[in-house]
Amino acid sequence: MTHDRSASPLIFGGAAQSPRAALPVLPPLALYIHIPWCVRKCPYCDFNSHTASPVLPEEEYVDALLADLDQDLHAVYGRELSSIFFGGGTPSLFSAAALGRLLEGVEQRIPFAHDIEITLEANPGTFEQEKFVAYRALGINRLSIGIQSFQQAKLEALGRIHNGDEAVRAAGMARQAGFDNFNLDLMHGLPDQSLEDALSDLRQAIALKPTHLSWYQLTLEPNTVFWNQPPTLPEDDTLWDIQEAGQALLAEHGYAQYEVSAYAQPGRPARHNLNYWSFGDFIGIGAGAHGKLSHPDGRIVRTWKTRLPKDYLNPAKSFQAGEKALTNDEMPFEFLMNALRLTEGVESRLYPERTGLPLDTLAEARREAEQSGLLQVEPSRLAATERGQLFLNDLLQKFLT
């Protein structure tokens, strides 16, 4: 999912598309590129990642990514790319030469905005100074570094390949390589974690002065080792104490919470993820990648690509595994499950602009959500209250039809 991890897109089944008004303007366009290989699969991870062989098929995979992109170009409609996100897996396993050829091929097909944000996910165990200097020279201008914890026992429990010292060095190496904009991914609610353990991790992360922190609670996801062999996680009271104390610590150090699990220094929110959460468009290429594309006639289509790398690289198989056009009935939930993750929500006008539906289609559910104290009573914005953010699933249920 995410883009930073908290930002993974969701797919829903459903009926055929209903007619709706043409969109007055197409939303911003982003590109998500999935690199599906890792040194080792972590026991909590439900992303589409696979243990890498000693030699990665870089050339073949770049060729496939560009061919995949060619098949989605019909939905670009003259737009430029506002952001690119290399997610995984561990994209930093790929060489700068391979990523350079890929970026060159992408720009030949779709123009880049002059201030495009290009993010690469990286893990501390893959950091080599020369490689990251080369990444920066390619125009990659933001890193998302998967730390998760600085404490050895916690890292071992999570199956991570790095240690705490390597995590600290990775941030320093990123800055030395020219990255003045980087995110640290950090988890809390880890096996046997105390409040002080969690705050110690957070203090260490803050000391490294990232521009952005993705700080989110470990959850046990189906089809993972942790789901089948669950570790001992902190009690609910401890989890609540960690959340409250951690948010206060982040605010004290100038990291504003702008999304459920995203905190940024002023002017440094992740533009790529903001595009997801404001119901922007994104092409998804690579094994298992998801996309969401709007068309001028009002159709909004979610797509997903062939999941297994061996199938994605097989010329006899299609890149696209499926697509689904969203119906009018699904649109309120689809829009709001993203927008209401933002602490300030979105301007109300964005709903008709991005969905092609009039704002009054939300009226009844909106009133009920406001009366329940879950949605702010603010005509010009769609935003959850503090209580609504705590009970976001309950709030979203009101917009299901």
Side-chain angles (χ1 to χ4, degrees), residues 270-293:
R271 278 190 276 153
H272 187 84
N273 289 345
L274 279 175
N275 187 54
Y276 282 139
W277 296 321
S278 58
F279 213 53
D281 277 358
F282 51 98
I283 295 172
I285 60 173
H290 292 172
K292 176 250 172 186
L293 293 165

Side-chain angles (χ1 to χ4, degrees), residues 89-394:
T90 307
S92 52
L93 291 177
F94 266 39
S95 68
L99 296 187
R101 185 166 76 85
L102 176 55
L103 283 171
E104 183 180 354
V106 171
E107 191 170 16
Q108 288 170 353
R109 289 160 171 81
I110 312 176
F112 289 5
H114 70 91
D115 60 346
I116 188 169
E117 176 191 88
I118 305 178
T119 301
L120 178 83
E121 283 189 338
N123 285 332
T126 66
F127 263 72
E128 302 165 20
Q129 190 68 49
E130 185 177 342
K131 180 193 279 190
F132 280 81
V133 169
Y135 287 156
R136 185 66 188 90
L138 296 176
I140 296 170
N141 52 21
R142 185 175 181 273
L143 293 180
S144 181
I145 306 172
I147 302 290
Q148 314 315 348
S149 177
F150 294 93
Q151 297 165 36
Q152 190 58 34
K154 300 295 185 283
L155 289 168
E156 289 175 3
L158 293 172
R160 304 297 288 175
I161 64 169
H162 67 272
N163 60 39
D165 289 342
E166 286 175 317
V168 171
R169 285 199 300 270
M173 289 170 66
R175 193 169 275 111
Q176 290 168 21
F179 290 95
D180 63 354
N181 189 14
F182 65 92
N183 168 69
L184 297 183
D185 256 1
L186 200 65
M187 283 186 180
H188 59 89
L190 304 181
D192 299 312
Q193 188 178 49
S194 67
L195 170 61
E196 188 47 46
D197 285 340
L199 293 182
S200 173
D201 268 349
L202 204 48
R203 289 189 193 101
Q204 176 64 81
I206 291 168
L208 296 174
K209 295 182 167 49
T211 49
H212 190 284
L213 271 162
S214 295
W215 187 61
Y216 51 97
Q217 184 179 321
L218 170 65
T219 55
L220 305 186
E221 302 289 352
N223 303 314
T224 65
V225 172
F226 274 5
W227 181 264
N228 294 313
Q229 302 169 33
T232 302
L233 299 182
E235 299 289 338
D236 286 346
D237 286 349
T238 301
L239 292 173
W240 181 256
D241 290 344
I242 290 172
Q243 185 75 31
E244 281 198 318
Q247 287 180 330
L249 183 63
L250 286 160
E252 178 188 336
H253 287 273
Y255 290 90
Q257 183 181 17
Y258 69 97
E259 188 268 344
V260 170
S261 55
Y263 303 78
Q265 292 180 342
R268 294 294 196 160
R271 278 190 276 153
H272 187 84
N273 289 345
L274 279 175
N275 187 54
Y276 282 139
W277 296 321
S278 58
F279 213 53
D281 277 358
F282 51 98
I283 295 172
I285 60 173
H290 292 172
K292 176 250 172 186
L293 293 165
S294 303
H295 299 265
D297 62 7
R299 285 179 302 122
I300 297 175
V301 180
R302 290 202 181 274
T303 62
W304 52 101
K305 302 298 173 67
T306 297
R307 186 173 176 84
L308 293 177
K310 68 179 179 63
D311 291 336
Y312 186 82
L313 289 169
N314 185 345
K317 294 184 180 289
S318 172
F319 293 122
Q320 186 154 303
E323 67 173 44
K324 182 196 179 309
L326 301 179
T327 66
N328 290 356
D329 286 345
E330 293 167 324
M331 203 62 69
F333 184 85
E334 284 276 332
F335 179 89
L336 291 169
M337 74 171 180
N338 293 286
L340 294 181
R341 288 180 65 96
L342 295 168
T343 55
E344 295 186 2
V346 297
E347 293 184 33
S348 298
R349 62 171 178 78
L350 205 64
Y351 180 75
E353 283 183 14
R354 299 281 162 92
T355 67
L357 296 173
L359 191 59
D360 62 15
T361 58
L362 297 178
E364 185 177 344
R366 189 177 184 179
R367 271 193 303 273
E368 185 180 336
E370 290 171 350
Q371 290 167 1
S372 302
L374 299 174
L375 195 70
Q376 292 183 21
V377 182
E378 175 55 66
S380 65
R381 297 198 72 78
L382 291 163
T385 61
E386 285 189 24
R387 182 167 178 267
Q389 288 169 15
L390 291 173
F391 299 99
L392 192 55
N393 286 341
D394 294 338

